[in-house]
Amino acid sequence: MSTSKTNSYKIAVIPGDGIGKEVMEATLDVLNGLDIDFKYVYGDAGDECLEKTGTALPSETLDLIMDADACLFGAAGETAADVIVKIRQEMKLFANLRPVKSYLNTNSLFDDIDFMIVRENTEGVYIADEESYTDDGAIARRIITKKAEKRIIEYAFEYAKNNNKTKVTAVHKANVLKKTDGLFKKVFYEVAKDYPDIATEDFYVDATAMYLITQPESFEVIVTTNLFGDILSDEGAGLVGGLGLIPSANIGEDGALFEPVHGSAPDIAGKNIANPIAMMLSAIMMLRYLGENESANKFEAAILKVLKNANTLTGDLGGLATTTEIALEVKNNL
Ligand code: NAI
Ligand code: MG
């Protein structure tokens, strides 16, 4: 047993609504079992916050996130777009990372999936610049800049280099979107020259949607633009069986936010039956971001053990355990 906790971090904690609060509590419980000194600063956001204060994302909460070393976010309800999308924009969280990994005793369709989707988070069609209606419809603009795409592609290659991945796959539709995705593809191969040890390939997004099902084990790191990344990451979630297991990270130049992909799940909220593993895996991504790889590995190994034993699983994985029981079991396995 080590005596004192060495490294110290200030973590902004935003539990939010519904099961966000339950999975956050379970996750902090395990984090407190690690040899790291976390100073939590709690922020309000979401539906309840809107009701209480008249705004879903108070400026104090944003300040608190900006000031912290990293942020853990649970889930918001109906105000999710005003909360999480706004935070991503305000903090310029340009990279959205969605790991797709198969674990034992889950509903994963395959046993050997392990890849990372690196999605550009600031431009593309999600700038939602929809001009006013035309006579016969409406027009949306898609913005692709060399600066933003180079930044995300470099991020993907750095991720590959630092995580012993041997290949990066670019996903686009450059045959049709010749200018925007043509630029993305060109920048991809320019950046690739700086990483001669990492193999490259590029696929059209429609083909990729199929390859994710026919050969998911062949992918290691996928880098793509905003909308394609959003769609492919939900396909990835479907491959490995369920929202209760899917974490994510939003990374910027001066900050990062870690959150499960799921929402506030009003259908099961308040019952202590939500699966906290997606939130826990998000916290593990935070540990790696902070450079706490040893603790991250320890935490992940504890979760793997719980899944392998399969005695303590929540309802979404066919078990009867409560959220708090999972936290206790993971903590005991640290
Ligand atoms: P949801 O992710 O909250 O729930 C979808 C289904 O998955 C539900 O049946 C739920 O019970 C189940 N589920 C989700 N997480 C689970 C977990 N950890 N353990 C066990 N089962 C789990 O998505 P839904 O129902 O579309 O949205 C509910 C609310 O959440 C909405 O108000 C929506 O706006 C918000 N939302 C917020 C997000 C965020 O804060 N990032 C993301 C998605 C939705
Ligand atoms: Mg999505």
Side-chain angles (χ1 to χ4, degrees):
M1 195 74 200
S2 57
T3 46
S4 71
K5 299 189 176 191
T6 43
N7 294 340
S8 169
Y9 303 96
K10 192 196 260 189
I11 307 297
V13 175
I14 305 177
D17 297 312
I19 66 166
K21 291 188 267 199
E22 300 166 48
V23 297
M24 184 67 80
E25 196 183 325
T27 300
L28 297 185
D29 192 21
V30 182
L31 282 177
N32 291 335
L34 297 170
D35 277 335
I36 302 173
D37 175 29
F38 289 112
K39 295 191 176 13
Y40 303 118
V41 281
Y42 286 82
D44 243 353
D47 297 4
E48 280 183 27
C49 178
L50 174 66
E51 219 164 279
K52 232 170 34 195
T53 68
T55 164
L57 182 63
S59 58
E60 304 88 78
T61 302
L62 261 179
D63 292 345
L64 191 135
I65 303 172
M66 303 259 185
D67 189 45
D69 294 312
C71 174
L72 285 174
F73 182 85
E78 290 304 298
T79 53
D82 302 324
V83 175
I84 191 68
V85 177
K86 181 108 185 282
I87 295 175
R88 285 178 190 152
Q89 284 166 351
E90 292 285 324
M91 294 195 57
K92 301 188 176 59
L93 301 175
F94 66 86
N96 189 280
L97 305 189
R98 292 267 296 261
V100 180
K101 191 167 175 177
S102 45
Y103 291 103
L104 275 177
N105 297 315
T106 61
N107 309 315
S108 185
L109 301 179
F110 300 85
D111 296 330
D112 46 6
I113 303 180
D114 186 2
F115 61 88
M116 180 66 88
I117 298 181
V118 179
R119 163 189 167 195
E120 207 291 323
N121 224 7
T122 66
E123 58 179 26
V125 265
Y126 280 9
I127 55 164
D129 182 359
E130 298 189 303
E131 288 172 27
S132 52
Y133 292 99
T134 61
D135 287 345
D136 195 32
I139 296 171
R141 293 202 308 155
R142 177 176 201 254
I143 293 190
I144 295 291
T145 65
K146 187 167 180 187
K147 184 173 173 230
E149 300 307 329
K150 185 163 183 266
R151 184 172 59 182
I152 197 73
I153 291 164
E154 282 173 347
Y155 191 94
F157 277 99
E158 282 297 311
Y159 175 85
K161 196 172 98 181
N162 296 330
N163 291 276
N164 302 316
K165 304 285 185 183
T166 65
K167 182 178 69 177
V168 178
T169 307
V171 174
H172 58 80
K173 191 70 182 172
N175 53 338
V176 178
L177 302 169
K178 292 196 173 73
K179 292 202 170 70
T180 51
D181 270 3
L183 176 67
F184 173 81
K185 183 177 165 183
K186 185 165 161 267
V187 174
F188 175 74
Y189 283 108
E190 275 170 18
V191 171
K193 284 186 200 142
D194 294 334
Y195 299 88
D197 298 337
I198 296 172
T200 51
E201 64 188 5
D202 71 281
F203 294 135
Y204 297 132
V205 63
D206 43 355
T208 307
M210 180 185 75
Y211 296 148
L212 283 181
I213 291 168
T214 57
Q215 50 181 70
E217 70 292 341
S218 75
F219 292 100
E220 295 184 45
V221 178
I222 291 176
V223 63
T224 188
T225 51
N226 206 338
L227 169 66
F228 296 160
D230 192 13
I231 296 170
L232 294 180
S233 43
D234 275 23
E235 186 180 353
L239 279 176
V240 294
L243 282 168
L245 293 165
I246 319 283
S248 77
N250 298 272
I251 313 274
E253 261 146 33
D254 335 286
L257 178 146
F258 302 84
E259 53 166 342
V261 167
H262 65 72
S264 61
D267 53 335
I268 58 165
K271 297 182 180 156
N272 195 24
I273 56 170
N275 189 347
I277 293 180
M279 183 79 237
M280 291 180 180
L281 292 171
S282 307
I284 290 170
M285 294 181 84
M286 179 186 80
L287 290 170
R288 297 219 158 93
Y289 168 82
L290 294 170
E292 296 289 347
N293 290 314
E294 207 178 299
S295 292
N297 293 342
K298 203 164 123 182
F299 194 164
E300 189 175 21
I303 292 175
L304 285 177
K305 224 169 179 180
V306 172
L307 290 171
K308 190 169 172 218
N309 292 342
N311 300 320
T312 318
L313 298 175
T314 42
D316 56 321
L317 299 181
L320 292 167
T322 62
T323 310
T324 22
E325 280 166 354
I326 303 288
L328 190 66
E329 193 68 11
V330 172
K331 217 161 80 170
N332 287 339
N333 279 302
L334 277 178

